[in-house]
Coordinates of all heavy atoms in Angstrom, one line a residue:
E335 N 81.9 117.4 90.1 CA 80.6 118.1 90.5 C 80.0 117.2 91.6 O 79.8 116.1 91.2 CB 79.7 118.4 89.4 CG 80.2 119.4 88.4 CD 79.2 119.6 87.2 OE1 78.1 119.1 87.3 OE2 79.6 120.4 86.3
I336 N 79.8 117.7 92.8 CA 79.4 116.9 93.9 C 78.0 117.4 94.5 O 77.9 118.5 94.8 CB 80.4 116.8 95.1 CG1 81.8 116.4 94.6 CG2 79.9 116.0 96.2 CD1 82.0 115.0 94.3
M337 N 77.0 116.5 94.6 CA 75.9 116.7 95.4 C 75.9 115.8 96.6 O 76.4 114.6 96.4 CB 74.6 116.4 94.5 CG 74.1 117.5 93.5 SD 72.5 117.0 92.9 CE 72.9 115.6 92.0
K338 N 75.3 116.2 97.7 CA 75.1 115.2 98.8 C 73.8 114.4 98.6 O 72.9 115.1 98.4 CB 75.2 115.9 100.1 CG 76.5 116.7 100.2 CD 77.7 115.7 100.4 CE 79.1 116.5 100.7 NZ 80.2 115.7 100.7
F339 N 73.7 113.2 98.9 CA 72.5 112.5 98.7 C 71.4 113.0 99.6 O 70.2 113.3 99.2 CB 72.7 111.0 99.0 CG 71.4 110.2 99.0 CD1 70.8 109.8 97.8 CD2 70.7 110.0 100.2 CE1 69.6 109.2 97.9 CE2 69.4 109.4 100.3 CZ 68.9 108.9 99.0
N340 N 71.8 113.4 100.8 CA 70.7 114.0 101.8 C 70.2 115.3 101.2 O 69.0 115.5 101.5 CB 71.4 114.2 103.2 CG 71.7 112.9 103.9 OD1 71.3 111.8 103.4 ND2 72.6 113.0 104.8
D341 N 71.0 116.1 100.6 CA 70.4 117.3 99.9 C 69.5 117.0 98.8 O 68.5 117.6 98.7 CB 71.6 118.2 99.5 CG 72.5 118.6 100.7 OD1 72.0 118.8 101.7 OD2 73.7 119.0 100.4
L342 N 69.9 116.1 98.0 CA 69.0 115.7 96.9 C 67.7 115.1 97.4 O 66.6 115.4 96.9 CB 69.7 114.7 96.0 CG 68.9 114.4 94.7 CD1 68.5 115.6 93.8 CD2 69.6 113.4 93.9
E343 N 67.8 114.3 98.4 CA 66.6 113.7 98.9 C 65.6 114.8 99.5 O 64.4 114.7 99.5 CB 66.9 112.7 100.0 CG 65.8 111.9 100.6 CD 66.3 110.9 101.7 OE1 67.1 111.2 102.4 OE2 65.8 109.8 101.6
E344 N 66.2 115.7 100.3 CA 65.4 116.7 101.0 C 64.8 117.6 100.0 O 63.5 117.9 100.0 CB 66.4 117.6 101.9 CG 65.6 118.7 102.6 CD 66.6 119.5 103.5 OE1 67.7 119.1 103.7 OE2 66.2 120.6 103.9
L345 N 65.5 118.1 98.9 CA 65.0 119.1 97.9 C 64.3 118.4 96.8 O 63.5 119.0 96.0 CB 66.1 120.0 97.5 CG 66.8 120.8 98.5 CD1 68.1 121.5 98.0 CD2 65.9 121.8 99.1
N346 N 64.6 117.1 96.5 CA 63.9 116.3 95.6 C 64.0 116.8 94.1 O 63.2 116.5 93.3 CB 62.4 116.2 96.0 CG 61.7 114.9 95.4 OD1 62.4 113.9 95.3 ND2 60.5 115.0 95.0
D347 N 65.0 117.5 93.8 CA 65.3 118.1 92.5 C 66.6 118.6 92.4 O 67.1 119.4 93.2 CB 64.2 119.2 92.2 CG 64.2 119.7 90.8 OD1 65.2 120.6 90.5 OD2 63.5 119.3 90.1
E348 N 67.3 118.2 91.3 CA 68.7 118.5 91.0 C 68.9 120.1 90.9 O 69.7 120.7 91.5 CB 69.1 117.9 89.7 CG 70.0 116.7 90.0 CD 70.7 116.2 88.7 OE1 71.2 117.2 87.9 OE2 71.0 115.0 88.6

Side-chain angles (χ1 to χ4, degrees):
E335 293 181 8
I336 305 284
M337 281 188 296
K338 303 296 182 184
F339 174 82
N340 290 344
D341 292 334
L342 182 61
E343 184 180 40
E344 180 185 345
L345 297 170
N346 205 35
D347 186 276
E348 260 193 36

